[in-house]
Amino acid sequence: MTGHEGTDPVRVGTSLIDMGTGMWAVIDVLAALRRSGTPYQLSPGALLAELEVTSGTMTNRVTRLTQRGWVRRLPNPKDGRGVIVELCEQGRRRV
């Protein structure tokens, strides 16, 4: 298998295929949230730093995962302008 971006020769489950993004891109975000520990929440900035992708790439990934019900965006209690990304139960079952 190659790196995180680009083509990936293996895809897991039809729901990942339907997302139109590589398996590793999806797993990276879910795994980063899982590694963060309970309550499985990170700011988008923390996800950017950990996964080393652009902010546009991260926004697209989080949007797709949100549409699937695997993560959700919550208001950041420390910054009313920001959000926190939280791993949902359906997302936890995938990593």
Side-chain angles (χ1 to χ4, degrees), residues 26-32 34 87 90-95:
V26 171
I27 291 174
D28 272 353
V29 176
L30 297 177
R34 183 70 175 217
L87 184 62
Q90 286 184 330
R92 283 194 294 269
R93 285 188 234 136
R94 286 165 171 74
V95 288

Side-chain angles (χ1 to χ4, degrees), residues 1 14 16 20-21 27 30 37 42 47-48 50 56 58 63 70-71 76-77 80 84 86 88 94:
M1 287 182 217
T14 57
L16 294 182
T21 188
I27 291 174
L30 297 177
L42 289 172
L47 283 168
L48 284 172
E50 183 164 342
M58 185 57 62
T63 297
W70 297 352
V71 303
N76 186 336
I84 297 291
E86 179 180 65
C88 296
R94 286 165 171 74

Side-chain angles (χ1 to χ4, degrees), residues 36-79:
S36 72
T38 304
Y40 309 113
Q41 298 175 340
L42 289 172
S43 70
L47 283 168
L48 284 172
E50 183 164 342
L51 301 178
E52 299 179 353
V53 297
T54 66
S55 60
T57 296
M58 185 57 62
T59 298
N60 288 335
R61 289 179 185 180
V62 170
T63 297
R64 288 180 178 149
L65 291 168
T66 300
Q67 291 168 346
R68 294 286 177 184
W70 297 352
V71 303
R72 64 181 169 177
R73 290 179 172 106
L74 302 172
N76 186 336
K78 297 179 183 175
D79 178 0

Side-chain angles (χ1 to χ4, degrees), residues 6 8 11 14-23 25-26 64 68:
D8 48 285
R11 293 185 187 237
T14 57
S15 58
L16 294 182
I17 291 170
D18 292 344
M19 288 188 71
T21 188
M23 172 181 68
V26 171
R64 288 180 178 149
R68 294 286 177 184

